[in-house]
Amino acid sequence: MNFNVEELIKKAIIAKSNSYSPYSNFKVGCAILLKDNNYILGCNVENKSYGLTICAERNALFKMVSEGYKKEDVIALAITSSGDALCTPCGACREVMDELLKKDTLIVLANDKLEYKIVKNNELLPLAFKLEK
Ligand code: THU
């Protein structure tokens, strides 16, 4: 592995500290490590109209695109959440990850104890939706 996984997880923990989650009290943080050594951070942002909530992963990925980065610029993405469980992305985020990251991009499922499991992006959504006729 050609990157510092603990540093990446610590960035996701920092991202999580900005979580706006007064309804679920469940904080999620996401950090994307880029080849230029920059990080893109995202947290979940909830809304009183619950369905308008944006997940940490999609927040970070949309920021990445907005800043002009592409899937080829990404080394790895890490996710952390409240509690000791290794955070796994929801189905909607997996579709966006399938769209905006390479199949072999490393996804770090982590917790605050710096315990983690690494999977490849395409392991998370093997039968992703395809716009093929
Ligand atoms: N959440 C995320 O940020 N990422 C996920 O992959 C799943 C869920 C957020 C949404 C909501 O603010 C809170 O976690 C509880 O569902």
Side-chain angles (χ1 to χ4, degrees):
M1 200 170 16
N2 210 10
F3 67 99
N4 187 330
V5 66
E6 293 202 354
E7 282 303 306
L8 179 59
I9 295 168
K10 285 177 187 168
K11 294 288 184 186
I13 293 169
I14 290 169
K16 179 159 62 88
S17 70
N18 290 325
S19 168
Y20 177 78
S21 43
Y23 304 104
S24 71
N25 289 311
F26 190 79
K27 296 175 186 281
V28 186
C30 177
I32 301 171
L33 172 61
L34 299 161
K35 289 180 182 166
D36 66 4
N37 282 323
N38 280 316
Y39 292 92
I40 304 277
L41 306 187
C43 61
N44 56 329
V45 180
E46 298 187 344
N47 189 272
K48 58 189 179 296
S49 176
Y50 298 161
L52 298 181
T53 292
I54 185 76
C55 291
E57 300 91 322
R58 276 177 286 157
N59 210 353
L61 285 161
F62 294 159
K63 276 175 74 179
M64 179 191 94
V65 172
S66 301
E67 296 296 326
Y69 291 104
K70 297 184 170 42
K71 58 179 77 176
E72 292 77 17
D73 302 319
V74 177
I75 294 175
L77 176 152
I79 316 165
T80 60
S81 63
S82 299
D84 288 344
L86 302 185
C87 187
T88 55
C90 76
C93 288
R94 291 177 199 216
E95 285 288 1
V96 174
M97 291 161 70
D98 180 74
E99 178 87 27
L100 298 179
L101 296 173
K102 289 171 66 180
K103 290 186 192 317
D104 60 353
T105 294
L106 300 177
I107 309 298
V108 183
L109 313 173
N111 66 17
D112 285 6
K113 296 175 177 168
L114 304 183
E115 297 167 332
Y116 63 89
K117 174 181 174 153
I118 297 183
V119 297
K120 287 190 177 161
N121 187 32
N122 65 350
E123 291 178 73
L124 289 170
L125 194 62
L127 292 173
F129 173 71
K130 287 190 174 52
L131 255 187
E132 283 171 7
K133 291 180 188 163

CSV table of all heavy atoms in Angstrom, one decimal, residues 53-99:
chain,number,residue,atom,x,y,z
A,53,THR,N,-31.2,15.1,3.5
A,53,THR,CA,-29.8,14.9,4.1
A,53,THR,C,-28.8,14.4,3.1
A,53,THR,O,-29.2,13.6,2.2
A,53,THR,CB,-30.0,13.8,5.2
A,53,THR,OG1,-30.8,14.3,6.3
A,53,THR,CG2,-28.6,13.3,5.7
A,54,ILE,N,-27.6,14.9,3.2
A,54,ILE,CA,-26.5,14.4,2.3
A,54,ILE,C,-25.5,13.6,3.1
A,54,ILE,O,-25.2,14.0,4.2
A,54,ILE,CB,-25.9,15.5,1.5
A,54,ILE,CG1,-24.9,15.0,0.5
A,54,ILE,CG2,-25.2,16.5,2.4
A,54,ILE,CD1,-25.5,14.4,-0.7
A,55,CYS,N,-25.2,12.4,2.6
A,55,CYS,CA,-24.2,11.6,3.3
A,55,CYS,C,-22.8,12.2,3.2
A,55,CYS,O,-22.5,12.9,2.2
A,55,CYS,CB,-24.2,10.2,2.7
A,55,CYS,SG,-25.7,9.2,3.0
A,56,ALA,N,-21.9,11.8,4.1
A,56,ALA,CA,-20.5,12.2,4.1
A,56,ALA,C,-19.8,11.9,2.8
A,56,ALA,O,-19.1,12.7,2.2
A,56,ALA,CB,-19.8,11.6,5.3
A,57,GLU,N,-20.0,10.6,2.3
A,57,GLU,CA,-19.3,10.2,1.1
A,57,GLU,C,-19.7,11.0,-0.1
A,57,GLU,O,-18.8,11.4,-0.9
A,57,GLU,CB,-19.6,8.7,0.9
A,57,GLU,CG,-19.2,7.7,2.0
A,57,GLU,CD,-20.4,7.5,3.0
A,57,GLU,OE1,-21.1,8.5,3.3
A,57,GLU,OE2,-20.5,6.4,3.5
A,58,ARG,N,-21.0,11.2,-0.3
A,58,ARG,CA,-21.4,11.9,-1.5
A,58,ARG,C,-21.0,13.4,-1.3
A,58,ARG,O,-20.6,14.0,-2.3
A,58,ARG,CB,-22.9,11.8,-1.7
A,58,ARG,CG,-23.3,10.6,-2.4
A,58,ARG,CD,-24.8,10.4,-2.6
A,58,ARG,NE,-25.4,10.0,-1.3
A,58,ARG,CZ,-26.6,10.2,-1.0
A,58,ARG,NH1,-27.4,10.8,-1.9
A,58,ARG,NH2,-27.1,9.8,0.1
A,59,ASN,N,-21.0,13.9,-0.1
A,59,ASN,CA,-20.6,15.3,0.1
A,59,ASN,C,-19.1,15.4,-0.4
A,59,ASN,O,-18.8,16.4,-1.1
A,59,ASN,CB,-20.8,15.7,1.6
A,59,ASN,CG,-21.0,17.1,1.8
A,59,ASN,OD1,-21.0,17.9,0.8
A,59,ASN,ND2,-21.3,17.5,3.0
A,60,ALA,N,-18.3,14.5,0.1
A,60,ALA,CA,-16.9,14.6,-0.3
A,60,ALA,C,-16.7,14.4,-1.8
A,60,ALA,O,-15.9,15.1,-2.4
A,60,ALA,CB,-16.1,13.5,0.5
A,61,LEU,N,-17.4,13.4,-2.4
A,61,LEU,CA,-17.2,13.1,-3.8
A,61,LEU,C,-17.7,14.3,-4.7
A,61,LEU,O,-17.0,14.6,-5.7
A,61,LEU,CB,-17.9,11.8,-4.2
A,61,LEU,CG,-17.2,10.6,-3.7
A,61,LEU,CD1,-18.2,9.4,-3.6
A,61,LEU,CD2,-16.0,10.3,-4.6
A,62,PHE,N,-18.8,14.9,-4.3
A,62,PHE,CA,-19.3,16.1,-5.1
A,62,PHE,C,-18.3,17.3,-4.9
A,62,PHE,O,-18.1,18.0,-5.9
A,62,PHE,CB,-20.7,16.4,-4.7
A,62,PHE,CG,-21.7,15.4,-5.0
A,62,PHE,CD1,-23.0,15.4,-4.3
A,62,PHE,CD2,-21.5,14.4,-5.9
A,62,PHE,CE1,-23.9,14.4,-4.6
A,62,PHE,CE2,-22.5,13.4,-6.2
A,62,PHE,CZ,-23.7,13.4,-5.5
A,63,LYS,N,-17.7,17.4,-3.7
A,63,LYS,CA,-16.7,18.4,-3.6
A,63,LYS,C,-15.5,18.2,-4.5
A,63,LYS,O,-15.0,19.1,-5.1
A,63,LYS,CB,-16.2,18.5,-2.1
A,63,LYS,CG,-17.1,19.3,-1.2
A,63,LYS,CD,-16.7,19.2,0.3
A,63,LYS,CE,-15.4,20.0,0.6
A,63,LYS,NZ,-15.0,19.8,2.0
A,64,MET,N,-15.1,16.9,-4.5
A,64,MET,CA,-14.0,16.5,-5.3
A,64,MET,C,-14.2,16.9,-6.8
A,64,MET,O,-13.3,17.5,-7.4
A,64,MET,CB,-13.8,15.0,-5.2
A,64,MET,CG,-12.6,14.4,-6.1
A,64,MET,SD,-12.7,12.6,-6.1
A,64,MET,CE,-13.6,12.4,-7.7
A,65,VAL,N,-15.4,16.6,-7.3
A,65,VAL,CA,-15.7,16.9,-8.7
A,65,VAL,C,-15.7,18.5,-8.9
A,65,VAL,O,-15.2,19.0,-9.8
A,65,VAL,CB,-17.0,16.3,-9.2
A,65,VAL,CG1,-17.4,16.8,-10.5
A,65,VAL,CG2,-16.9,14.8,-9.2
A,66,SER,N,-16.3,19.1,-7.9
A,66,SER,CA,-16.5,20.6,-8.0
A,66,SER,C,-15.1,21.3,-8.0
A,66,SER,O,-15.0,22.4,-8.5
A,66,SER,CB,-17.3,21.1,-6.8
A,66,SER,OG,-18.6,20.5,-6.8
A,67,GLU,N,-14.1,20.7,-7.3
A,67,GLU,CA,-12.8,21.2,-7.3
A,67,GLU,C,-12.0,20.9,-8.5
A,67,GLU,O,-10.8,21.3,-8.6
A,67,GLU,CB,-12.1,20.8,-6.0
A,67,GLU,CG,-12.7,21.2,-4.7
A,67,GLU,CD,-12.7,22.7,-4.5
A,67,GLU,OE1,-11.7,23.3,-4.9
A,67,GLU,OE2,-13.6,23.2,-3.9
A,68,GLY,N,-12.6,20.1,-9.4
A,68,GLY,CA,-11.9,19.9,-10.7
A,68,GLY,C,-11.1,18.6,-10.7
A,68,GLY,O,-10.4,18.3,-11.7
A,69,TYR,N,-11.3,17.7,-9.7
A,69,TYR,CA,-10.5,16.4,-9.7
A,69,TYR,C,-11.4,15.4,-10.4
A,69,TYR,O,-12.6,15.4,-10.4
A,69,TYR,CB,-10.2,16.0,-8.2
A,69,TYR,CG,-9.2,16.9,-7.5
A,69,TYR,CD1,-9.6,17.9,-6.6
A,69,TYR,CD2,-7.9,16.8,-7.8
A,69,TYR,CE1,-8.7,18.7,-6.0
A,69,TYR,CE2,-6.9,17.6,-7.2
A,69,TYR,CZ,-7.3,18.5,-6.3
A,69,TYR,OH,-6.4,19.3,-5.7
A,70,LYS,N,-10.6,14.4,-10.9
A,70,LYS,CA,-11.3,13.2,-11.6
A,70,LYS,C,-10.9,11.9,-10.9
A,70,LYS,O,-10.0,11.9,-10.1
A,70,LYS,CB,-10.8,13.2,-13.0
A,70,LYS,CG,-11.2,14.5,-13.8
A,70,LYS,CD,-10.8,14.4,-15.2
A,70,LYS,CE,-11.5,15.5,-16.0
A,70,LYS,NZ,-11.5,16.8,-15.4
A,71,LYS,N,-11.6,10.9,-11.3
A,71,LYS,CA,-11.3,9.6,-10.6
A,71,LYS,C,-9.9,9.1,-10.7
A,71,LYS,O,-9.4,8.5,-9.8
A,71,LYS,CB,-12.3,8.5,-11.2
A,71,LYS,CG,-12.2,8.2,-12.6
A,71,LYS,CD,-13.2,7.1,-13.1
A,71,LYS,CE,-14.6,7.6,-13.1
A,71,LYS,NZ,-15.5,6.6,-13.6
A,72,GLU,N,-9.2,9.5,-11.8
A,72,GLU,CA,-7.8,9.2,-12.0
A,72,GLU,C,-6.9,9.9,-11.0
A,72,GLU,O,-5.7,9.5,-10.8
A,72,GLU,CB,-7.3,9.5,-13.4
A,72,GLU,CG,-8.0,8.7,-14.5
A,72,GLU,CD,-9.4,9.1,-14.8
A,72,GLU,OE1,-9.8,10.2,-14.5
A,72,GLU,OE2,-10.1,8.3,-15.5
A,73,ASP,N,-7.4,10.9,-10.3
A,73,ASP,CA,-6.6,11.7,-9.4
A,73,ASP,C,-6.6,11.1,-7.9
A,73,ASP,O,-5.9,11.6,-7.1
A,73,ASP,CB,-7.1,13.1,-9.3
A,73,ASP,CG,-7.1,13.8,-10.6
A,73,ASP,OD1,-6.1,13.6,-11.4
A,73,ASP,OD2,-8.0,14.5,-11.0
A,74,VAL,N,-7.5,10.1,-7.7
A,74,VAL,CA,-7.7,9.6,-6.4
A,74,VAL,C,-6.9,8.4,-6.0
A,74,VAL,O,-6.7,7.4,-6.8
A,74,VAL,CB,-9.2,9.2,-6.3
A,74,VAL,CG1,-9.5,8.6,-4.9
A,74,VAL,CG2,-10.1,10.4,-6.5
A,75,ILE,N,-6.3,8.4,-4.8
A,75,ILE,CA,-5.6,7.2,-4.3
A,75,ILE,C,-6.5,6.3,-3.5
A,75,ILE,O,-6.5,5.1,-3.7
A,75,ILE,CB,-4.3,7.7,-3.5
A,75,ILE,CG1,-3.3,8.4,-4.4
A,75,ILE,CG2,-3.7,6.5,-2.8
A,75,ILE,CD1,-2.1,9.0,-3.6
A,76,ALA,N,-7.2,6.9,-2.5
A,76,ALA,CA,-8.0,6.2,-1.6
A,76,ALA,C,-9.1,7.1,-1.0
A,76,ALA,O,-8.9,8.3,-1.0
A,76,ALA,CB,-7.2,5.5,-0.6
A,77,LEU,N,-10.1,6.4,-0.4
A,77,LEU,CA,-11.2,7.1,0.3
A,77,LEU,C,-11.4,6.4,1.6
A,77,LEU,O,-11.5,5.1,1.6
A,77,LEU,CB,-12.4,7.1,-0.6
A,77,LEU,CG,-13.7,7.7,-0.1
A,77,LEU,CD1,-14.6,8.2,-1.2
A,77,LEU,CD2,-14.5,6.7,0.8
A,78,ALA,N,-11.5,7.1,2.7
A,78,ALA,CA,-11.8,6.5,4.0
A,78,ALA,C,-13.1,7.1,4.6
A,78,ALA,O,-13.5,8.2,4.3
A,78,ALA,CB,-10.6,6.8,5.0
A,79,ILE,N,-13.8,6.2,5.4
A,79,ILE,CA,-15.0,6.6,6.0
A,79,ILE,C,-15.0,6.2,7.5
A,79,ILE,O,-14.5,5.1,7.8
A,79,ILE,CB,-16.2,5.8,5.4
A,79,ILE,CG1,-16.1,5.8,3.8
A,79,ILE,CG2,-17.5,6.4,5.8
A,79,ILE,CD1,-17.0,4.7,3.2
A,80,THR,N,-15.4,7.1,8.3
A,80,THR,CA,-15.6,6.7,9.8
A,80,THR,C,-17.0,7.2,10.2
A,80,THR,O,-17.5,8.1,9.6
A,80,THR,CB,-14.5,7.4,10.7
A,80,THR,OG1,-14.7,8.8,10.5
A,80,THR,CG2,-13.1,7.0,10.3
A,81,SER,N,-17.5,6.6,11.3
A,81,SER,CA,-18.8,7.1,11.8
A,81,SER,C,-18.8,7.0,13.3
A,81,SER,O,-17.8,6.6,13.9
A,81,SER,CB,-19.9,6.2,11.2
A,81,SER,OG,-19.7,4.9,11.6
A,82,SER,N,-19.9,7.3,13.9
A,82,SER,CA,-20.1,7.2,15.4
A,82,SER,C,-20.0,5.7,15.7
A,82,SER,O,-20.4,4.8,15.0
A,82,SER,CB,-21.5,7.7,15.8
A,82,SER,OG,-21.7,9.0,15.5
A,83,GLY,N,-19.4,5.5,16.9
A,83,GLY,CA,-19.3,4.1,17.4
A,83,GLY,C,-18.1,3.3,16.9
A,83,GLY,O,-17.3,3.9,16.1
A,84,ASP,N,-18.0,2.1,17.3
A,84,ASP,CA,-16.8,1.3,17.0
A,84,ASP,C,-16.9,0.5,15.7
A,84,ASP,O,-15.9,-0.1,15.2
A,84,ASP,CB,-16.6,0.3,18.1
A,84,ASP,CG,-16.1,1.0,19.4
A,84,ASP,OD1,-15.6,2.2,19.2
A,84,ASP,OD2,-16.1,0.4,20.4
A,85,ALA,N,-18.1,0.4,15.1
A,85,ALA,CA,-18.3,-0.4,13.9
A,85,ALA,C,-17.4,0.2,12.7
A,85,ALA,O,-17.3,1.5,12.7
A,85,ALA,CB,-19.7,-0.4,13.5
A,86,LEU,N,-16.9,-0.6,11.9
A,86,LEU,CA,-16.2,-0.1,10.7
A,86,LEU,C,-17.3,0.4,9.7
A,86,LEU,O,-18.2,-0.3,9.3
A,86,LEU,CB,-15.4,-1.2,10.0
A,86,LEU,CG,-14.4,-1.8,10.9
A,86,LEU,CD1,-13.5,-2.8,10.1
A,86,LEU,CD2,-13.5,-0.8,11.6
A,87,CYS,N,-17.2,1.7,9.4
A,87,CYS,CA,-18.3,2.3,8.6
A,87,CYS,C,-18.4,1.9,7.2
A,87,CYS,O,-17.4,1.9,6.5
A,87,CYS,CB,-18.2,3.8,8.7
A,87,CYS,SG,-19.6,4.7,8.0
A,88,THR,N,-19.6,1.4,6.8
A,88,THR,CA,-19.8,1.0,5.4
A,88,THR,C,-20.7,2.0,4.7
A,88,THR,O,-21.7,2.4,5.4
A,88,THR,CB,-20.3,-0.4,5.3
A,88,THR,OG1,-21.5,-0.5,6.1
A,88,THR,CG2,-19.3,-1.5,5.8
A,89,PRO,N,-20.5,2.3,3.4
A,89,PRO,CA,-21.4,3.3,2.8
A,89,PRO,C,-22.8,2.8,2.4
A,89,PRO,O,-22.9,1.6,2.2
A,89,PRO,CB,-20.6,3.6,1.5
A,89,PRO,CG,-19.7,2.5,1.3
A,89,PRO,CD,-19.4,1.9,2.6
A,90,CYS,N,-23.7,3.6,2.4
A,90,CYS,CA,-25.1,3.2,2.1
A,90,CYS,C,-25.2,3.0,0.6
A,90,CYS,O,-24.3,3.3,-0.2
A,90,CYS,CB,-26.1,4.3,2.5
A,90,CYS,SG,-26.1,5.8,1.4
A,91,GLY,N,-26.3,2.4,0.1
A,91,GLY,CA,-26.5,2.0,-1.3
A,91,GLY,C,-26.4,3.2,-2.2
A,91,GLY,O,-25.7,3.1,-3.3
A,92,ALA,N,-27.0,4.3,-1.9
A,92,ALA,CA,-26.9,5.5,-2.7
A,92,ALA,C,-25.5,6.0,-2.9
A,92,ALA,O,-25.0,6.3,-4.0
A,92,ALA,CB,-27.8,6.6,-2.1
A,93,CYS,N,-24.7,6.0,-1.8
A,93,CYS,CA,-23.3,6.4,-1.9
A,93,CYS,C,-22.5,5.4,-2.8
A,93,CYS,O,-21.6,5.8,-3.5
A,93,CYS,CB,-22.7,6.5,-0.5
A,93,CYS,SG,-23.3,8.0,0.3
A,94,ARG,N,-22.9,4.1,-2.7
A,94,ARG,CA,-22.1,3.1,-3.5
A,94,ARG,C,-22.3,3.4,-5.0
A,94,ARG,O,-21.4,3.2,-5.8
A,94,ARG,CB,-22.6,1.7,-3.1
A,94,ARG,CG,-22.1,1.3,-1.7
A,94,ARG,CD,-22.6,-0.1,-1.3
A,94,ARG,NE,-22.5,-0.2,0.1
A,94,ARG,CZ,-22.2,-1.3,0.8
A,94,ARG,NH1,-21.9,-2.4,0.1
A,94,ARG,NH2,-22.1,-1.3,2.1
A,95,GLU,N,-23.5,3.8,-5.4
A,95,GLU,CA,-23.8,4.1,-6.8
A,95,GLU,C,-22.9,5.3,-7.2
A,95,GLU,O,-22.4,5.3,-8.3
A,95,GLU,CB,-25.3,4.4,-7.0
A,95,GLU,CG,-26.2,3.2,-7.1
A,95,GLU,CD,-26.0,2.3,-8.3
A,95,GLU,OE1,-25.2,2.6,-9.2
A,95,GLU,OE2,-26.7,1.3,-8.4
A,96,VAL,N,-22.9,6.3,-6.3
A,96,VAL,CA,-22.1,7.5,-6.7
A,96,VAL,C,-20.6,7.2,-6.7
A,96,VAL,O,-19.8,7.6,-7.5
A,96,VAL,CB,-22.4,8.7,-5.7
A,96,VAL,CG1,-21.5,9.9,-5.9
A,96,VAL,CG2,-23.8,9.1,-5.9
A,97,MET,N,-20.1,6.3,-5.8
A,97,MET,CA,-18.8,5.9,-5.8
A,97,MET,C,-18.5,5.1,-7.1
A,97,MET,O,-17.4,5.2,-7.7
A,97,MET,CB,-18.5,5.0,-4.5
A,97,MET,CG,-18.5,5.8,-3.2
A,97,MET,SD,-18.7,4.8,-1.8
A,97,MET,CE,-17.2,4.0,-1.7
A,98,ASP,N,-19.4,4.3,-7.5
A,98,ASP,CA,-19.3,3.5,-8.8
A,98,ASP,C,-19.1,4.5,-9.9
A,98,ASP,O,-18.3,4.2,-10.9
A,98,ASP,CB,-20.5,2.6,-9.0
A,98,ASP,CG,-20.4,1.8,-10.2
A,98,ASP,OD1,-19.6,0.8,-10.3
A,98,ASP,OD2,-21.1,2.1,-11.2
A,99,GLU,N,-19.8,5.6,-9.9
A,99,GLU,CA,-19.8,6.6,-11.0
A,99,GLU,C,-18.5,7.4,-11.0
A,99,GLU,O,-17.9,7.7,-12.0
A,99,GLU,CB,-21.0,7.5,-10.8
A,99,GLU,CG,-21.1,8.7,-11.8
A,99,GLU,CD,-21.8,8.2,-13.0
A,99,GLU,OE1,-22.7,7.3,-13.0
A,99,GLU,OE2,-21.6,8.8,-14.1
